[in-house]
Amino acid sequence: MDPHKDLELDQLIERTSASTLRSLDTTIDVEQRLRDLFREAGLDPELVPERRSQTR
């Protein structure tokens, strides 16, 4: 394979991996914030039915 194409592919994979990690971090942050809000409202987050997002 062409070394230039290999470099482009490696860069694309790195950018995709970084973007995926940022997205997962955001999802985890939102889920944690929702659990915190349920607790503040006096609800047990473990008893609230879980809704599956379309991205999972």
Side-chain angles (χ1 to χ4, degrees):
M1 191 174 213
D2 178 9
H4 182 71
K5 292 287 183 186
D6 283 344
L7 179 61
E8 285 180 13
L9 183 58
D10 287 344
Q11 290 171 340
L12 178 61
I13 290 171
E14 285 179 28
R15 286 194 310 267
T16 302
S17 296
S19 177
T20 301
L21 286 174
R22 281 192 304 274
S23 178
L24 288 172
D25 285 345
T26 299
T27 300
I28 291 168
D29 290 345
V30 169
E31 288 176 348
Q32 181 60 48
R33 181 64 181 135
L34 284 172
R35 282 192 287 277
D36 293 344
L37 288 171
F38 280 125
R39 283 189 193 98
E40 288 175 21
L43 300 171
D44 183 352
E46 302 304 319
L47 298 178
V48 177
E50 188 173 326
R51 291 181 51 172
R52 293 282 173 197
S53 72
Q54 294 178 359
T55 58
R56 287 199 216 175

